[in-house]
Amino acid sequence: MRTVITGGAGFVGSHLCERFLAEGDEVYCVDNLLTGNPRNIAHLGDNPKFRFIEHNISEPIQVDGPVDNVLHFASPASPADYLAHPIPTLKVGALGTHNALGLAKAKDARFLLASTSEVYGDPEVHPQREDYWGNVNPIGPRGCYDEAKRFAEAITMAYHRYHGVKTRIVRIFNTYGPRMRLNDGRVLPAFMGQILRGEPLSVYGKGDQTRSFCYVTDLVEGIVRLLRTDFSEPVNIGNPSELTVLELAREILAMIDAPQDHIVFHELPQDDPKRRRPDITRAQQLLGWGPTIDRADGLKRTLDYFRTVL
Ligand code: NAD
Ligand code: UDP
């Protein structure tokens, strides 16, 4: 099997590259290093089945020989990153998805799109099920990401219905683990960098907004299982264990016995979703999937990683 992974030098993509190599596949990692880092894949460089192709997937791509799977993960993912790169974000969700679908169609390969819980926007339905259409502000600061992913889902379904491409869509909820960028602005690396530097934790708003965090290897397992089905509608993958941002801050402070009030409150960003938790009934029934790594364990593994890169 040959698997092409766009965004393979990023956080999730690098774990996918590892996993597909472990399955015995040849892996072509396509990345322009906009938010990724060659260090994430440096340990794979000696593997003869691994190939890094530095390329912007928003431009057409040619790959020689057969391809069995195309996993499209290229896109800035952190709010700070997509606010800094709104146009590349829109382009990679739209043109990049078109090019990745074109490759899958030309090679008669399976295609899997990395979509997101952000397609639900600031949800009015809780927890979020796949049949909820969402509450997205198209012209707000997050619109460049949310609408790019919604377009990506639409063009993926069109390629499935019109061209018969074997497509899958995973709606990923907040995922964390080693190889996140310490300064990517997402809450978990932000808090962990802060406790390791002895700084107060930056909680936005009152910290009463909720998220549900999934450890990266659980996500990867869900993706592998979904790819092997013939199910073309979206599937949520995430850990339903929900907590407020303030509770998360306190859990992280407790990891190093720091005072529970070592927190500084900042303004809440515009359109920050108030509540987020996946309904994973579909993944449980279709894939027999559920998260296996609890937060205490996952946070410890992640903090151990950040200690090595600080
Ligand atoms: P990341 O920023 O670590 O990885 C994204 C990778 O895509 C980077 O290596 C970047 O250089 C690459 N990239 C961006 N634009 C590109 C382009 N035009 N051409 C080629 N490569 C490009 O982010 P991540 O957290 O690993 O996210 C990966 C995917 O998963 C994204 O599509 C994201 O939307 C999706 N996702 C992630 C989460 C999460 O919690 N981590 C949640 C929902 C969805
Ligand atoms: N957040 C925070 N402090 C930070 C970074 C983020 O309180 O330093 C909050 C943010 O407002 C949001 C939640 O943490 O409510 C998750 O933010 P993140 O950027 O990780 O991703 P999101 O789920 O919003 O896409």
Side-chain angles (χ1 to χ4, degrees), residues 10-12 31-32 34-36 56-57 73 145 149 175 186:
F11 158 52
V12 176
D31 202 299
N32 67 351
L34 178 65
T35 58
N56 178 354
I57 193 65
F73 278 69
Y145 181 68
K149 290 290 186 180
T175 297
R186 285 186 271 196

Side-chain angles (χ1 to χ4, degrees), residues 281-298:
T281 310
R282 185 175 278 180
Q284 284 168 327
Q285 290 176 349
L286 182 74
L287 313 174
W289 179 89
T292 61
I293 311 275
D294 68 20
R295 201 165 50 245
D297 187 10

Side-chain angles (χ1 to χ4, degrees), residues 32-44:
N32 67 351
L33 304 177
L34 178 65
T35 58
N37 194 316
R39 273 201 308 271
N40 291 338
I41 47 169
H43 61 297
L44 306 176

Side-chain angles (χ1 to χ4, degrees), residues 6-14 30-37 40 55-59 72-78 81 88-89 91-92 96 114-118 145 149 170-176 179-181 184 186 214 219:
T6 78
F11 158 52
V12 176
S14 65
V30 177
D31 202 299
N32 67 351
L33 304 177
L34 178 65
T35 58
N37 194 316
N40 291 338
H55 177 79
N56 178 354
I57 193 65
S58 299
E59 304 292 335
H72 181 43
F73 278 69
S75 170
S78 143
D81 285 343
T89 301
K91 286 175 83 169
V92 76
S115 184
T116 167
S117 54
E118 284 282 326
Y145 181 68
K149 290 290 186 180
V170 57
R171 288 188 181 150
I172 303 169
F173 283 64
N174 295 67
T175 297
Y176 70 101
R179 303 202 201 111
M180 292 186 98
R181 233 171 59 240
D184 84 357
R186 285 186 271 196
C214 182
L219 169 69

Side-chain angles (χ1 to χ4, degrees), residues 43-93:
H43 61 297
L44 306 176
D46 290 339
N47 188 325
K49 290 190 161 177
F50 181 74
R51 190 171 148 202
F52 175 61
I53 302 170
E54 189 167 345
H55 177 79
N56 178 354
I57 193 65
S58 299
E59 304 292 335
I61 186 166
Q62 295 270 317
V63 174
D64 292 334
V67 173
D68 300 288
N69 304 305
V70 177
L71 277 62
H72 181 43
F73 278 69
S75 170
S78 143
D81 285 343
Y82 57 73
L83 290 175
H85 305 288
I87 296 167
T89 301
L90 281 155
K91 286 175 83 169
V92 76

